[in-house]
Amino acid sequence: MQVLDAASVRAWCVLALEALGRGREEIDAVNVFPVADGDTGTNLYLTVESAAQAVDAVYGAFAADGAGAGGVEPAVADVLRAMAHGALIGARGNSGTILAELLRGLTGAVAGADSAAGADSDSDSGAGDGELLAAALRRGADAARAAVEHPVEGTMLTVADAAAAAAERSAAGGATRVAQVARGAYDGAREALAATTAQLDVLRRAGVVDAGGLGLVAVLGTLADALSGAARPTELGPEGPAGRGTGGRRTAARHDGAACAVPGADGPAYEVIYLLEADDAAVTRLRPRLDGLGDSLVVVGGDGLWRVHVHVDDAGAAVEAGVEAGRPYRIQITHLPAGALSDTPAHDASGGGGHEGRAVVAVVPGDGLAALCAEAGAGVVTVREGEPPASGELAEAMRRTGAPEVVLLPNDAELRHTAAVAVAEARASGVRAALIPTRAAVQGLAALAVHDPGRRFDEDVVSMTAAAGATRHAELAVAEQEAWTTAGICRPGDVLGVVEGDVAVVGTDLAETAEAVLDRMLAGGGELVTLVLGPDLPPGFGARLEAHVRGGHLAVDTVVYEGGSQSAPLLIGVE
């Protein structure tokens, strides 16, 4: 396979995913910059996994249309576009976000080149494809650098620049076969990776290469493998992409706590990532605002869809800035560990440590919910209406678990600041703590449902955050006075259907209003409805709503819980 075509791009996805799967823990182990959170390999793997799934979807649609008969392949530009879009949608972390922009830049070069059409010819000479790949790698490297607000040398960006320069030298030196140019880019990236240790103080003290650069070298190595027809990806290791002696430097990173001190240990507490639908002008205004909130800002994308990544102390402010710019969604908020890496299970590259003694603390509004959360293994702080807990109370509940790792579920939008202060207090006492910004009890239940103490801490937090964010929430309330609402005028005694904090339905009957709210929420799709019943509802209320969902919304499951003395007659969650 000596040409840049759809089949080679698909093979690249497969090999890259396999290489990152094999090397994920090794890459995680050398992750000390910009934050030593040991997840760069995992983030790159998940990003490429999303890209590979998008490519498979293109092939699936191509076959369904009957266009793939006789061995005909999709256009290489279409497959590359799918790969780049999948990476953008699924990008995780700083490294995944940069990789997504690299792929997007590469795609733009190929799609815009007249010679791209020649990549689907029957010739195996690959004439012109080498120059095309060199130009594509340069465009990708430049796009990635432009996406980072404050580029730093000795990082993934440096490795990308070196790969592009090496590809350009190969093409200029007469290498016309695309596999030759790809191999030249890989070799140039390996040399640049080995040099990163001396380019950043934190890497030099730890004795490691840059983790993002190591992952990128693996991806570039598999590109060369795919174009040359290799069946297995290049291995990570001392003789592989990691470069000279990297195996020894990885050991230093894992076991020399003093050497791995993170610069700016008092830096931002949260990593915030989201997709954003916005125009170019809005994103131009968003960049300086987010840059003022924190650091490690990377904004990639275009054509109305962007991936935003930033490290901040105020995660809510970062999300609110996105709301003002456009429509943020798939929001991920992850606690960033402070201090230094050390010889602790939490950063052990084996992936088997760091989960013993992990606890979850949930703030709940009713006795029934407290029992439900306790059954799920969470510690609970039960609150009554009008009596919100103080930050010290939440911090004490986290410390009282006695666990070295604690996740806090506030389950109330009004407790966001209080919970953030509590997490900071817990961290100051030596607890590794994370805040999942649940705005309703049903989001907390969704997070608990996917909680897995057998996973690494950061992976568990990401999974719980994603589950909570994917759960829309609503509740019923009874109006106490006449007022204007977003759904019209309400009068005392009216039943209000409050969806995501806004009054969406005004009715006179609890069951009918609940059914209207469910229909409105399920109009946008859903797989699971959670109903938490208050204490004063009539008999059969839950069964009626369950039957309503079953009758009007196929393939949607419903679970019903007794919520005890909660303030709202009914809580609703739709996942």
Side-chain angles (χ1 to χ4, degrees), residues 540-570:
F541 188 89
R544 172 175 171 173
L545 296 185
E546 189 173 4
H548 178 79
V549 172
R550 186 168 57 247
H553 305 278
L554 298 177
V556 177
D557 295 326
T558 305
V559 293
V560 181
Y561 300 115
E562 298 291 337
S565 56
Q566 62 192 45
S567 58
L570 176 69

Side-chain angles (χ1 to χ4, degrees), residues 372 440-451 463-474 500 518 521-532 549 553-559 561 572-575:
L372 190 63
V442 289
Q443 289 187 325
L445 293 176
L448 276 172
V450 300
H451 168 52
S463 179
M464 295 175 73
T465 302
T471 303
R472 287 163 285 161
H473 60 92
E500 305 279 346
L518 284 167
M521 296 179 74
L522 288 170
E527 298 176 355
L528 175 67
V529 171
T530 300
L531 303 174
V532 183
V549 172
H553 305 278
L554 298 177
V556 177
D557 295 326
T558 305
V559 293
Y561 300 115
I572 302 172
V574 174
E575 296 179 45

Side-chain angles (χ1 to χ4, degrees), residues 419-527:
V421 173
V423 166
E425 291 180 25
R427 289 205 313 269
S429 67
V431 176
R432 189 180 186 191
L435 170 64
I436 297 179
T438 49
R439 295 172 292 163
V442 289
Q443 289 187 325
L445 293 176
L448 276 172
V450 300
H451 168 52
D452 181 2
R455 281 193 292 244
R456 290 162 54 95
F457 181 79
D458 292 327
E459 292 173 354
D460 199 26
V461 171
V462 167
S463 179
M464 295 175 73
T465 302
T471 303
R472 287 163 285 161
H473 60 92
E475 64 179 47
L476 295 190
V478 178
E480 297 179 350
Q481 60 186 17
E482 182 172 327
W484 288 92
T485 76
T486 52
I489 298 176
C490 70
R491 294 175 173 78
D494 281 350
V495 181
L496 309 179
V498 183
V499 179
E500 305 279 346
D502 291 323
V503 177
V505 179
V506 176
T508 56
D509 180 81
L510 281 169
E512 291 177 358
T513 304
E515 289 170 350
V517 169
L518 284 167
D519 289 341
R520 180 181 291 260
M521 296 179 74
L522 288 170
E527 298 176 355

Side-chain angles (χ1 to χ4, degrees), residues 143-425:
R145 184 170 287 272
V148 178
E149 196 69 18
H150 301 288
V152 175
E153 296 308 321
T155 64
M156 190 176 183
L157 297 176
T158 305
V159 175
D161 283 337
E168 289 168 337
R169 287 194 298 271
S170 294
T176 56
R177 287 180 178 269
V178 68
Q180 291 176 289
V181 174
R183 188 63 62 183
Y186 167 64
D187 289 340
R190 287 185 64 192
E191 291 180 14
L193 175 66
T196 59
T197 304
Q199 290 178 286
L200 272 176
D201 286 343
V202 64
L203 301 180
R204 182 167 54 250
R205 290 196 301 269
V208 297
V209 295
D210 178 67
L214 177 58
L216 178 58
V217 168
V219 171
L220 291 172
T222 56
L223 173 60
D225 291 338
L227 291 169
S228 60
R232 293 292 299 276
T234 301
E235 294 287 338
L236 282 170
E239 303 304 323
R244 298 184 300 276
T246 306
R249 289 197 294 272
R250 278 197 300 272
T251 302
R254 288 174 54 188
H255 298 291
D256 185 356
C260 297
V262 182
D266 296 326
Y270 299 100
E271 176 186 63
V272 178
I273 305 174
Y274 50 80
L275 285 171
L276 177 68
E277 291 181 355
D279 58 32
D280 291 2
V283 172
T284 299
R285 293 190 297 270
L286 176 65
R287 282 179 180 271
R289 180 170 178 185
L290 290 177
D291 191 39
L293 291 174
D295 58 30
S296 297
L297 175 62
V298 184
V299 181
V300 304
D303 301 320
L305 181 62
W306 308 82
R307 169 70 72 171
V308 175
H309 169 282
V310 67
H311 293 172
V312 294
D313 279 321
D314 190 343
V319 175
E320 288 166 7
V323 171
E324 293 184 11
R327 186 177 82 87
Y329 61 103
R330 293 197 183 184
I331 300 167
Q332 304 166 39
I333 300 175
T334 306
H335 169 64
L336 296 172
L341 277 176
S342 61
D343 186 15
T344 62
H347 294 285
D348 192 323
S350 68
H355 56 265
E356 292 83 6
R358 184 178 309 158
V360 178
V361 173
V363 181
V364 295
D367 298 335
L369 280 172
L372 190 63
C373 291
E375 289 175 5
V380 297
V381 176
T382 305
V383 297
R384 289 182 292 181
E385 187 177 12
E387 298 180 10
S391 60
E393 181 181 354
L394 297 182
E396 178 58 26
M398 297 170 74
R399 287 191 292 268
R400 200 165 51 240
T401 65
E405 299 175 344
V406 183
V407 177
L408 177 62
L409 306 174
N411 297 332
D412 188 340
E414 298 298 323
L415 291 179
R416 185 189 70 191
H417 178 71
T418 301
V421 173
V423 166
E425 291 180 25

